Short mmCIF file of all heavy atoms in Angstrom, two decimals:
data_model
loop_
_atom_site.label_atom_id
_atom_site.label_comp_id
_atom_site.label_asym_id
_atom_site.label_seq_id
_atom_site.Cartn_x
_atom_site.Cartn_y
_atom_site.Cartn_z
N LYS C 1 4.56 -16.03 22.20
CA LYS C 1 5.09 -17.19 22.93
C LYS C 1 4.53 -17.23 24.35
O LYS C 1 4.72 -16.29 25.12
CB LYS C 1 6.61 -17.14 22.96
CG LYS C 1 7.27 -17.36 21.60
CD LYS C 1 8.78 -17.42 21.72
CE LYS C 1 9.43 -17.73 20.39
NZ LYS C 1 10.92 -17.79 20.50
N ALA C 2 3.90 -18.34 24.68
CA ALA C 2 3.31 -18.47 26.01
C ALA C 2 4.36 -18.40 27.10
O ALA C 2 4.11 -17.88 28.19
CB ALA C 2 2.54 -19.79 26.11
N GLU C 3 5.56 -18.89 26.82
CA GLU C 3 6.61 -18.91 27.85
C GLU C 3 7.07 -17.51 28.24
O GLU C 3 7.73 -17.33 29.27
CB GLU C 3 7.81 -19.75 27.40
CG GLU C 3 8.44 -19.33 26.09
CD GLU C 3 7.92 -20.12 24.92
OE1 GLU C 3 6.74 -20.51 24.93
OE2 GLU C 3 8.72 -20.36 23.98
N ASN C 4 6.72 -16.50 27.45
CA ASN C 4 7.09 -15.13 27.80
C ASN C 4 6.06 -14.43 28.68
O ASN C 4 6.30 -13.32 29.17
CB ASN C 4 7.30 -14.30 26.53
CG ASN C 4 8.55 -14.71 25.77
OD1 ASN C 4 9.45 -15.34 26.32
ND2 ASN C 4 8.62 -14.39 24.49
N LEU C 5 4.90 -15.07 28.89
CA LEU C 5 3.87 -14.48 29.75
C LEU C 5 4.34 -14.50 31.21
O LEU C 5 4.69 -15.55 31.75
CB LEU C 5 2.57 -15.26 29.63
CG LEU C 5 1.57 -14.79 28.58
CD1 LEU C 5 0.45 -15.81 28.43
CD2 LEU C 5 0.99 -13.43 28.94
N LEU C 6 4.32 -13.34 31.82
CA LEU C 6 4.69 -13.24 33.23
C LEU C 6 3.45 -13.12 34.09
O LEU C 6 3.30 -13.82 35.10
CB LEU C 6 5.60 -12.02 33.43
CG LEU C 6 6.32 -11.90 34.78
CD1 LEU C 6 7.25 -13.07 34.98
CD2 LEU C 6 7.10 -10.59 34.84
N TYR C 7 2.52 -12.24 33.71
CA TYR C 7 1.24 -12.08 34.41
C TYR C 7 0.14 -11.95 33.37
O TYR C 7 0.30 -11.26 32.36
CB TYR C 7 1.23 -10.83 35.30
CG TYR C 7 2.15 -10.90 36.49
CD1 TYR C 7 3.41 -10.30 36.44
CD2 TYR C 7 1.77 -11.57 37.65
CE1 TYR C 7 4.26 -10.37 37.52
CE2 TYR C 7 2.61 -11.63 38.74
CZ TYR C 7 3.87 -11.03 38.68
OH TYR C 7 4.71 -11.10 39.75
N THR C 8 -1.00 -12.61 33.62
CA THR C 8 -2.15 -12.51 32.73
C THR C 8 -3.28 -11.77 33.42
O THR C 8 -3.47 -11.87 34.63
CB THR C 8 -2.65 -13.89 32.30
OG1 THR C 8 -3.06 -14.62 33.46
CG2 THR C 8 -1.56 -14.67 31.59
N LYS C 9 -4.03 -10.98 32.65
CA LYS C 9 -5.19 -10.22 33.15
C LYS C 9 -4.83 -9.49 34.44
O LYS C 9 -5.56 -9.52 35.42
CB LYS C 9 -6.38 -11.15 33.32
CG LYS C 9 -6.78 -11.85 32.02
CD LYS C 9 -8.04 -12.66 32.13
CE LYS C 9 -9.25 -11.80 31.90
NZ LYS C 9 -10.49 -12.59 31.70
N PHE C 10 -3.69 -8.81 34.39
CA PHE C 10 -3.19 -8.05 35.53
C PHE C 10 -4.06 -6.81 35.74
O PHE C 10 -4.39 -6.11 34.79
CB PHE C 10 -1.73 -7.65 35.25
CG PHE C 10 -1.05 -6.91 36.37
CD1 PHE C 10 -0.42 -7.60 37.39
CD2 PHE C 10 -1.02 -5.52 36.39
CE1 PHE C 10 0.23 -6.92 38.42
CE2 PHE C 10 -0.38 -4.84 37.40
CZ PHE C 10 0.24 -5.55 38.42
N ILE C 11 -4.44 -6.57 36.99
CA ILE C 11 -5.25 -5.39 37.32
C ILE C 11 -4.32 -4.32 37.89
O ILE C 11 -3.64 -4.54 38.89
CB ILE C 11 -6.35 -5.74 38.34
CG1 ILE C 11 -7.30 -6.79 37.75
CG2 ILE C 11 -7.13 -4.50 38.74
CD1 ILE C 11 -8.34 -7.29 38.73
N GLY C 12 -4.29 -3.17 37.27
CA GLY C 12 -3.40 -2.10 37.70
C GLY C 12 -2.52 -1.65 36.55
O GLY C 12 -2.56 -2.22 35.44
N LYS C 13 -1.71 -0.63 36.81
CA LYS C 13 -0.86 -0.08 35.75
C LYS C 13 0.59 0.09 36.22
O LYS C 13 1.32 0.92 35.67
CB LYS C 13 -1.42 1.27 35.28
CG LYS C 13 -2.83 1.18 34.71
CD LYS C 13 -3.30 2.53 34.21
CE LYS C 13 -4.75 2.47 33.74
NZ LYS C 13 -5.70 2.26 34.85
N SER C 14 1.00 -0.69 37.22
CA SER C 14 2.40 -0.67 37.65
C SER C 14 2.73 -1.98 38.33
O SER C 14 1.86 -2.64 38.91
CB SER C 14 2.66 0.50 38.60
OG SER C 14 1.94 0.34 39.82
N LEU C 15 4.00 -2.36 38.24
CA LEU C 15 4.47 -3.59 38.85
C LEU C 15 5.89 -3.37 39.37
O LEU C 15 6.78 -2.96 38.61
CB LEU C 15 4.47 -4.74 37.84
CG LEU C 15 5.07 -6.07 38.32
CD1 LEU C 15 4.20 -6.69 39.41
CD2 LEU C 15 5.25 -7.04 37.16
N VAL C 16 6.09 -3.62 40.66
CA VAL C 16 7.42 -3.49 41.25
C VAL C 16 8.22 -4.75 40.94
O VAL C 16 7.77 -5.86 41.22
CB VAL C 16 7.32 -3.29 42.78
CG1 VAL C 16 8.70 -3.23 43.40
CG2 VAL C 16 6.54 -2.02 43.10
N LEU C 17 9.41 -4.57 40.36
CA LEU C 17 10.28 -5.70 40.06
C LEU C 17 11.16 -5.97 41.29
O LEU C 17 12.26 -5.43 41.42
CB LEU C 17 11.14 -5.39 38.84
CG LEU C 17 10.36 -5.12 37.55
CD1 LEU C 17 11.30 -4.68 36.43
CD2 LEU C 17 9.59 -6.35 37.13
N LYS C 18 10.66 -6.78 42.19
CA LYS C 18 11.36 -7.03 43.46
C LYS C 18 12.60 -7.89 43.28
O LYS C 18 13.55 -7.80 44.06
CB LYS C 18 10.39 -7.68 44.45
CG LYS C 18 9.21 -6.80 44.83
CD LYS C 18 8.29 -7.49 45.82
CE LYS C 18 7.11 -6.60 46.18
NZ LYS C 18 6.18 -7.25 47.13
N ASP C 19 12.58 -8.76 42.27
CA ASP C 19 13.72 -9.64 42.03
C ASP C 19 14.78 -8.87 41.23
O ASP C 19 14.56 -8.51 40.08
CB ASP C 19 13.25 -10.86 41.23
CG ASP C 19 14.34 -11.92 41.09
OD1 ASP C 19 15.52 -11.57 41.23
OD2 ASP C 19 13.99 -13.08 40.84
N PRO C 20 15.96 -8.60 41.81
CA PRO C 20 16.99 -7.83 41.09
C PRO C 20 17.38 -8.45 39.75
O PRO C 20 17.69 -7.74 38.80
CB PRO C 20 18.17 -7.84 42.07
CG PRO C 20 17.56 -8.07 43.41
CD PRO C 20 16.38 -8.96 43.16
N SER C 21 17.36 -9.78 39.68
CA SER C 21 17.75 -10.44 38.44
C SER C 21 16.75 -10.15 37.32
O SER C 21 17.12 -10.08 36.15
CB SER C 21 17.87 -11.95 38.65
OG SER C 21 16.63 -12.48 39.08
N MET C 22 15.48 -9.94 37.68
CA MET C 22 14.49 -9.58 36.68
C MET C 22 14.76 -8.19 36.13
O MET C 22 14.51 -7.89 34.97
CB MET C 22 13.07 -9.65 37.27
CG MET C 22 12.58 -11.04 37.59
SD MET C 22 12.40 -12.10 36.14
CE MET C 22 11.06 -11.31 35.27
N GLN C 23 15.29 -7.32 36.97
CA GLN C 23 15.60 -5.95 36.55
C GLN C 23 16.76 -5.95 35.55
O GLN C 23 16.79 -5.15 34.61
CB GLN C 23 15.98 -5.10 37.76
CG GLN C 23 14.89 -4.98 38.80
CD GLN C 23 15.36 -4.19 40.00
OE1 GLN C 23 16.17 -3.29 39.88
NE2 GLN C 23 14.84 -4.53 41.17
N ARG C 24 17.73 -6.84 35.75
CA ARG C 24 18.95 -6.81 34.94
C ARG C 24 18.85 -7.65 33.67
O ARG C 24 19.46 -7.30 32.66
CB ARG C 24 20.14 -7.32 35.76
CG ARG C 24 20.51 -6.47 36.96
CD ARG C 24 21.84 -6.92 37.53
NE ARG C 24 21.82 -8.34 37.89
CZ ARG C 24 21.47 -8.80 39.09
NH1 ARG C 24 21.08 -7.95 40.03
NH2 ARG C 24 21.50 -10.09 39.35
N ASN C 25 18.13 -8.76 33.73
CA ASN C 25 18.28 -9.79 32.71
C ASN C 25 17.15 -9.89 31.69
O ASN C 25 17.21 -10.71 30.80
CB ASN C 25 18.44 -11.16 33.38
CG ASN C 25 19.70 -11.22 34.22
OD1 ASN C 25 20.77 -10.91 33.76
ND2 ASN C 25 19.53 -11.61 35.48
N PHE C 26 16.12 -9.05 31.85
CA PHE C 26 14.96 -9.23 30.98
C PHE C 26 14.47 -7.93 30.37
O PHE C 26 14.62 -6.85 30.93
CB PHE C 26 13.81 -9.87 31.77
CG PHE C 26 14.01 -11.34 32.00
CD1 PHE C 26 14.74 -11.79 33.09
CD2 PHE C 26 13.48 -12.26 31.11
CE1 PHE C 26 14.94 -13.14 33.28
CE2 PHE C 26 13.68 -13.62 31.31
CZ PHE C 26 14.40 -14.06 32.40
N HIS C 27 13.89 -8.09 29.18
CA HIS C 27 13.13 -7.02 28.55
C HIS C 27 11.65 -7.26 28.84
O HIS C 27 11.23 -8.40 29.09
CB HIS C 27 13.35 -7.02 27.04
CG HIS C 27 14.78 -6.85 26.64
ND1 HIS C 27 15.41 -5.64 26.66
CD2 HIS C 27 15.70 -7.76 26.22
CE1 HIS C 27 16.66 -5.79 26.26
NE2 HIS C 27 16.87 -7.07 25.98
N PHE C 28 10.86 -6.21 28.76
CA PHE C 28 9.44 -6.32 29.11
C PHE C 28 8.55 -5.72 28.02
O PHE C 28 8.98 -4.84 27.27
CB PHE C 28 9.16 -5.63 30.45
CG PHE C 28 9.88 -6.25 31.60
CD1 PHE C 28 11.14 -5.78 31.99
CD2 PHE C 28 9.31 -7.30 32.30
CE1 PHE C 28 11.81 -6.37 33.05
CE2 PHE C 28 9.98 -7.88 33.37
CZ PHE C 28 11.23 -7.42 33.74
N ALA C 29 7.32 -6.22 27.97
CA ALA C 29 6.31 -5.68 27.07
C ALA C 29 4.96 -5.78 27.77
O ALA C 29 4.73 -6.69 28.58
CB ALA C 29 6.29 -6.43 25.75
N ILE C 30 4.07 -4.84 27.46
CA ILE C 30 2.75 -4.80 28.07
C ILE C 30 1.69 -4.77 26.96
O ILE C 30 1.84 -4.04 25.98
CB ILE C 30 2.55 -3.55 28.95
CG1 ILE C 30 3.72 -3.37 29.92
CG2 ILE C 30 1.22 -3.61 29.69
CD1 ILE C 30 3.80 -4.42 31.00
N THR C 31 0.63 -5.57 27.11
CA THR C 31 -0.52 -5.49 26.21
C THR C 31 -1.78 -5.23 27.03
O THR C 31 -1.84 -5.57 28.21
CB THR C 31 -0.71 -6.79 25.41
OG1 THR C 31 -0.98 -7.87 26.31
CG2 THR C 31 0.51 -7.11 24.56
N ALA C 32 -2.77 -4.63 26.40
CA ALA C 32 -4.05 -4.38 27.06
C ALA C 32 -5.02 -5.51 26.71
O ALA C 32 -4.92 -6.13 25.66
CB ALA C 32 -4.62 -3.04 26.61
N MET C 33 -5.97 -5.75 27.62
CA MET C 33 -7.01 -6.77 27.42
C MET C 33 -8.37 -6.17 27.73
O MET C 33 -8.52 -5.43 28.71
CB MET C 33 -6.79 -7.96 28.36
CG MET C 33 -5.60 -8.83 28.02
SD MET C 33 -6.03 -10.13 26.83
CE MET C 33 -7.02 -11.20 27.88
N ASP C 34 -9.38 -6.48 26.89
CA ASP C 34 -10.73 -6.03 27.22
C ASP C 34 -11.53 -7.16 27.84
O ASP C 34 -11.00 -8.26 28.08
CB ASP C 34 -11.43 -5.45 25.99
CG ASP C 34 -11.71 -6.49 24.90
OD1 ASP C 34 -11.55 -7.70 25.16
OD2 ASP C 34 -12.10 -6.10 23.79
N ARG C 35 -12.82 -6.94 28.12
CA ARG C 35 -13.64 -7.93 28.80
C ARG C 35 -13.94 -9.15 27.93
O ARG C 35 -14.36 -10.19 28.44
CB ARG C 35 -14.95 -7.30 29.27
CG ARG C 35 -14.80 -6.17 30.28
CD ARG C 35 -14.02 -6.59 31.50
NE ARG C 35 -14.61 -7.70 32.21
CZ ARG C 35 -15.35 -7.58 33.32
NH1 ARG C 35 -15.58 -6.39 33.84
NH2 ARG C 35 -15.85 -8.64 33.91
N TYR C 36 -13.74 -9.03 26.63
CA TYR C 36 -13.98 -10.15 25.73
C TYR C 36 -12.70 -10.95 25.48
O TYR C 36 -12.68 -11.87 24.67
CB TYR C 36 -14.53 -9.65 24.40
CG TYR C 36 -15.78 -8.81 24.54
CD1 TYR C 36 -15.72 -7.42 24.57
CD2 TYR C 36 -17.03 -9.41 24.66
CE1 TYR C 36 -16.86 -6.65 24.72
CE2 TYR C 36 -18.19 -8.65 24.80
CZ TYR C 36 -18.09 -7.27 24.84
OH TYR C 36 -19.24 -6.51 24.99
N ASP C 37 -11.60 -10.56 26.15
CA ASP C 37 -10.28 -11.18 26.04
C ASP C 37 -9.60 -10.89 24.71
O ASP C 37 -8.73 -11.64 24.26
CB ASP C 37 -10.34 -12.69 26.31
CG ASP C 37 -10.60 -12.98 27.78
OD1 ASP C 37 -10.09 -12.23 28.63
OD2 ASP C 37 -11.33 -13.94 28.09
N ASN C 38 -9.97 -9.77 24.06
CA ASN C 38 -9.18 -9.26 22.96
C ASN C 38 -7.90 -8.65 23.52
O ASN C 38 -7.91 -8.05 24.60
CB ASN C 38 -9.95 -8.19 22.19
CG ASN C 38 -11.12 -8.76 21.42
OD1 ASN C 38 -10.94 -9.48 20.45
ND2 ASN C 38 -12.34 -8.43 21.85
N GLU C 39 -6.82 -8.79 22.77
CA GLU C 39 -5.52 -8.28 23.23
C GLU C 39 -4.99 -7.26 22.23
O GLU C 39 -5.09 -7.44 21.02
CB GLU C 39 -4.53 -9.44 23.37
CG GLU C 39 -3.19 -9.03 23.97
CD GLU C 39 -2.26 -10.22 24.17
OE1 GLU C 39 -2.38 -11.20 23.41
OE2 GLU C 39 -1.41 -10.16 25.07
N SER C 40 -4.38 -6.20 22.75
CA SER C 40 -3.82 -5.15 21.90
C SER C 40 -2.43 -5.55 21.41
O SER C 40 -1.86 -6.57 21.81
CB SER C 40 -3.72 -3.85 22.70
OG SER C 40 -2.64 -3.93 23.64
N VAL C 41 -1.87 -4.72 20.54
CA VAL C 41 -0.46 -4.87 20.20
C VAL C 41 0.36 -4.51 21.43
O VAL C 41 -0.14 -3.92 22.39
CB VAL C 41 -0.08 -3.96 19.01
CG1 VAL C 41 -0.85 -4.36 17.77
CG2 VAL C 41 -0.32 -2.49 19.35
N ALA C 42 1.63 -4.87 21.41
CA ALA C 42 2.47 -4.72 22.59
C ALA C 42 3.11 -3.34 22.69
O ALA C 42 3.52 -2.76 21.69
CB ALA C 42 3.56 -5.78 22.60
N LEU C 43 3.17 -2.83 23.90
CA LEU C 43 4.00 -1.68 24.21
C LEU C 43 5.34 -2.23 24.68
O LEU C 43 5.45 -2.82 25.76
CB LEU C 43 3.36 -0.83 25.32
CG LEU C 43 4.19 0.36 25.81
CD1 LEU C 43 4.29 1.44 24.73
CD2 LEU C 43 3.58 0.94 27.08
N GLN C 44 6.37 -2.06 23.85
CA GLN C 44 7.71 -2.57 24.18
C GLN C 44 8.49 -1.50 24.92
O GLN C 44 8.27 -0.30 24.73
CB GLN C 44 8.45 -2.96 22.90
CG GLN C 44 7.76 -4.00 22.05
CD GLN C 44 8.07 -5.43 22.48
OE1 GLN C 44 8.88 -5.68 23.37
NE2 GLN C 44 7.41 -6.39 21.83
N GLU C 45 9.43 -1.93 25.74
CA GLU C 45 10.31 -0.95 26.38
C GLU C 45 11.25 -0.34 25.35
O GLU C 45 11.47 -0.91 24.28
CB GLU C 45 11.10 -1.59 27.50
CG GLU C 45 12.09 -2.64 27.04
CD GLU C 45 12.89 -3.19 28.20
OE1 GLU C 45 13.84 -2.52 28.61
OE2 GLU C 45 12.54 -4.27 28.69
N ASN C 46 11.77 0.81 25.67
CA ASN C 46 12.70 1.50 24.78
C ASN C 46 14.11 1.10 25.17
O ASN C 46 14.65 1.58 26.16
CB ASN C 46 12.51 3.01 24.91
CG ASN C 46 13.30 3.79 23.88
OD1 ASN C 46 14.25 3.28 23.30
ND2 ASN C 46 12.89 5.03 23.65
#
């Protein structure tokens, strides 16, 4: 679902959740992208 995308082609391996409501109200998942724009399966939070 496109509406679940928060950041695309993010560079780095950490993100500070500055908005407290984002910390409380949402689940997160991370996928990897290569230079050809292939996407991996998702790493879901536990």
Side-chain angles (χ1 to χ4, degrees):
K1 292 185 176 180
E3 57 264 33
N4 290 340
L5 268 170
L6 192 61
Y7 292 98
T8 61
K9 301 186 85 168
F10 183 86
I11 298 174
K13 300 182 184 69
S14 66
L15 174 67
V16 177
L17 299 174
K18 296 180 180 179
D19 188 339
S21 60
M22 290 296 293
Q23 300 177 32
R24 295 191 303 270
N25 297 308
F26 284 86
H27 301 282
F28 297 92
I30 310 292
T31 62
M33 289 273 289
D34 66 10
R35 298 304 301 260
Y36 304 96
D37 289 324
N38 290 292
E39 186 177 28
S40 74
V41 297
L43 176 69
Q44 302 275 355
E45 66 178 279
N46 188 340

